[in-house]
């Protein structure tokens, strides 16, 4: 039975990923340090509903499914904690069988501070983001180097690493011809937040590890994710993944739907021409699964652009307004002075074929899907606190 | 009077830089946490002669020159320590006038773990290198952002960031034409050690800071430096900069000369075709000075390739043997299995014109210069401990 280690297993993507693999018969270990929960409390951000902790969820999941997800609560920025996941000595917070599951065959690495606005709040949050994200990645690289070179690392990157270049965005690599000679390089990266910059730096680290020690790495350059429900979340209300609707941890589509439901004008930054690639949370799970089934080769840094379609912010606002209107919400759109430093109108033509070539079948943001998202948020509308949606974190 | 802050002021380059600017009438503050000294003790590496600590050197320098170099002993990976250098509250370890000198006009940032082999010893040294180098750079970026946006950052990068690509190496930037569209990007970087990778990541961080907050940054992509004496080091023997001759902290030319003097065969890794750009320590000082005199513009990340000529390792070994022979040393050359993972024969054609356009006048590695280096090492030959020269740090 293949063993999958999920770093950041308590997060928006981590918990659904844990259930997804568990329900398919994999041995799953989920690790988290609850950073996101603490940050949400500290910053008083918006969570649509309370979410039980990892051990409670693992217990619930076991009762519903009969499958075990082992839980470790630990800070992976500490090299010793990371190494125990490969060598033993792990202290499980929840497990049926407390014996060590052994080194993993695959690691899914989500264990990072995931918010661009968080990283821009002040120098201490910038420092935390930098140290946390890079130490975890580096500790993982060295643990795999030292104990499990065959292990496949599936790392969550972000499309934000590329920024908005004036040339077509390829899947991670580009051949450059210069003064009559050629070579192949990582596609140029330049991001617009400290968070996104740490993801570029992660890629630098992984590419170094791949070249030096023939590691196997798949880097998933993901766009903003939307959605709540996944195939495994329906059995019990308390198995649903966490859902933020605030500007700091809430992704744009999830936030817009929440704003629409509670009559809070949609906040479009500047011209609203910012175009990005998006995907449904169900597709994140498919993409990770397909990557796991066809691992990168030894010495390969395989990069996929993990998006299914592109929208501008203005298009998303219009879609939210239209579906909102159908469901009886009078949705206003408000243009705000852009608190970020980014191009508001730009060329954007990313390639994203690799994952579909591996067999991923995209869910698109249809009216029906959008309506389904509204339906869940409407159910919890009384929990929404309007005053925490927008705090005005500025990039300046 | 312009105020220059030198981060890493106790190092091989830091102390000569402090004296250089001080002797030219600048207000100088030198900061260090003595990491290098501690690491040399811990790893029992080779220092050609003892070097007084920063406060003792500042006192000596004052007695010889009449100029003050203020000394701060502090760990700049701590954000608070960095910020005090811009806002006040600094506790000087040595100063004539203990009042705060004010925020600097220019920061010369050398405060990094500088050794590739050190970063490859084990996961704990890798972790230290990563955390130290990136936190210091990030803390500097945020301190300048918050308190001194006009301040010019002169940052030491390394030619090693580029690796050995199959195309000509430009000075930091490249225009890429792709599918009929064009844009300008950082020149591709891929390094062969964790240390060099942290320097790539530094560049990512600085480029982010420049774009977001219009910082002024000059990145000096330096090759391996050789030499001991500078214009200011002659007044007192104890003002000479530290000199390592071991494989961990000793750069190749300095190490080869030492090996030649004590009859230790020159250790050439593999084919010896590894080609790099080199410069004399006197030219480092010129380059930093010229950069300071013509600062980068607001919003500019200006990158110079800081080398004066290129040599292969085999050529350096031959030169060392020839000059050694003239001085009565029978120098053997030994080819070792390469402990590093690097191309031993490769294309290498870097551009390095920008600093000379600013007025830098290169010192080349002439027979006379090489002989001068031999002369100093011969004076201290009784201090050389053969057994610590080569410890066999392996990249594998």
């Amino acid at each position: 039975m293949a063993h999958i280690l999920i770093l950041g297993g308590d997060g928006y993507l981590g918990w659904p990923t844990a259930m997804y693999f568990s329900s398919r018969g994999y041995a799953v270990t989920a690790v988290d340090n609850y950073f996101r929960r603490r940050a949400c409390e500290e910053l008083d951000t918006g969570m649509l509903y309370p979410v039980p902790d990892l051990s409670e969820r693992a217990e619930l999941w076991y009762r519903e499914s009969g499958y075990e997800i082992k839980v470790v609560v630990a800070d992976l920025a500490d090299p010793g904690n990371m190494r125990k996941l490969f060598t033993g000595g792990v202290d499980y917070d929840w497990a049926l069988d407390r014996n060590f599951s052994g080194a993993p065959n695959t690691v899914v690495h989500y264990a990072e501070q995931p918010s661009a606005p968080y990283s821009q709040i002040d120098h201490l949050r910038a420092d935390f983001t930098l140290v946390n994200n890079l130490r975890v990645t580096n500790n993982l690289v060295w643990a795999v180097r030292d104990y499990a070179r065959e292990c496949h690392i599936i790392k969550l990157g972000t499309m934000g690493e590329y920024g908005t270049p004036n040339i077509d965005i390829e899947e991670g690599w580009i051949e450059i011809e210069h003064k009559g000679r050629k070579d192949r390089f990582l596609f140029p990266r330049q991001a617009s937040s400290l968070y996104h910059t740490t993801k570029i730096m992660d890629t630098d680290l992984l590419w170094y590890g791949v070249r030096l020690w023939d590691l196997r790495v798949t880097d998933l350059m993901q766009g903003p994710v939307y959605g709540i429900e996944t195939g495994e979340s329906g059995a019990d209300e308390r198995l649903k993944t966490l859902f933020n609707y605030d500007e700091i941890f809430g992704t744009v589509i999830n936030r817009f739907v929440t704003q629409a439901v509670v009559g809070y004008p949609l906040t479009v930054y500047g011209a609203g021409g910012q175009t990005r690639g998006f995907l449904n949370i169900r597709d994140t799970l498919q993409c990770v699964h397909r990557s796991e089934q066809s691992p990168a080769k030894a010495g390969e840094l395989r990069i996929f652009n993990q998006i299914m379609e592109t929208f501008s912010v203005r298009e998303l606002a219009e879609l939210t307004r239209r579906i909102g209107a159908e469901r009886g919400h009078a949705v206003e759109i408000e243009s705000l002075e852009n608190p970020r430093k980014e191009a508001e109108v730009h060329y954007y033509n990313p390639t994203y074929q690799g994952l579909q070539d591996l067999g991923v079948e995209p869910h698109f943001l249809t009216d029906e899907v959008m309506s389904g998202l509204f339906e869940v948020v409407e159910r919890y509308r009384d929990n929404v606190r309007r005053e925490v949606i927008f705090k005005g974190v500025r990039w300046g």
Side-chain angles (χ1 to χ4, degrees), chain A residues 349-392:
Chain A
N349 191 24
T351 307
Y352 44 100
Q353 187 56 44
L355 285 161
Q356 293 180 46
D357 288 347
L358 279 190
V360 170
E361 293 173 13
H363 294 76
F364 295 108
L365 186 56
T366 59
D367 289 6
E368 196 188 345
V369 166
M370 196 66 172
S371 218
L373 189 48
F374 265 91
E375 192 276 320
V376 180
V377 176
E378 286 161 1
R379 226 184 313 149
Y380 295 98
R381 69 181 301 164
D382 291 348
N383 292 348
V384 177
R385 295 158 58 221
R386 299 167 52 98
E387 71 278 13
V388 303
I389 293 175
F390 195 71
K391 305 203 172 170

Side-chain angles (χ1 to χ4, degrees), chain A residues 324-337:
Chain A
E326 285 175 14
R327 301 182 65 92
H329 306 289
V331 182
E332 280 174 60
I333 298 175
E334 195 179 340
S335 181
L336 291 188
E337 191 198 337

Side-chain angles (χ1 to χ4, degrees), chain A residues 126-142:
Chain A
D127 180 54
F128 174 82
T129 303
L130 182 85
V131 172
N132 181 76
N133 293 6
L134 294 171
R135 287 187 85 187
V136 175
T137 301
N138 191 51
N139 289 340
L140 175 60
V141 164
W142 281 81

Side-chain angles (χ1 to χ4, degrees), chain A residues 13 27 48 68 91 120-121 125 131 147 159 163 206 240 253 255 259 271 279 302-303 316 354 367 384 395:
Chain A
L13 302 175
L48 194 57
E68 178 198 39
D91 185 15
Q120 299 292 134
I121 292 174
R125 267 68 172 229
V131 172
Y147 303 121
M159 289 295 291
L206 292 165
K240 267 209 292 296
I253 298 174
R255 182 160 51 83
Q259 290 177 244
L279 81 166
R302 179 176 61 167
I303 303 172
L316 291 175
D367 289 6
V384 177
W395 263 225

Side-chain angles (χ1 to χ4, degrees), chain A residues 5 14 68 70 106 138 161 216 221 239 267 394:
Chain A
L5 182 59
E68 178 198 39
K70 292 191 180 186
T106 303
N138 191 51
E161 295 177 45
R216 302 168 180 270
M221 307 290 277
L239 292 176
T267 39
R394 299 186 66 84

Side-chain angles (χ1 to χ4, degrees), chain A residues 106-110 152-156 218 220 288 291-292:
Chain A
T106 303
V107 178
V108 180
H109 172 18
Y110 297 133
H152 180 208
I153 298 172
I154 299 176
K155 164 69 169 61
L156 200 70
T218 298
L220 299 175
V288 172
S291 298
E292 183 273 337

Side-chain angles (χ1 to χ4, degrees), chain A residues 178-215:
Chain A
H178 182 58
K179 298 184 179 171
R181 303 179 63 89
K182 279 184 195 173
D183 206 345
R184 178 172 176 266
F185 298 98
L186 285 172
F187 193 91
R189 285 149 207 250
Q190 46 190 1
S192 293
S193 79
L194 194 276
Y195 155 73
H196 288 100
T197 302
T198 65
K199 305 291 267 194
I200 295 176
M201 297 155 91
D202 277 339
T203 307
D204 295 329
L205 263 182
L206 292 165
W207 177 217
Y208 144 81
V210 164
R211 277 174 300 127
L212 257 70
W213 303 308
D214 287 336
L215 306 189

Side-chain angles (χ1 to χ4, degrees), chain A residues 13-26:
Chain A
L13 302 175
W15 176 247
T17 304
M19 289 193 294
Y20 183 98
F21 280 100
S22 178
S23 74
R24 282 161 179 78
Y26 290 78

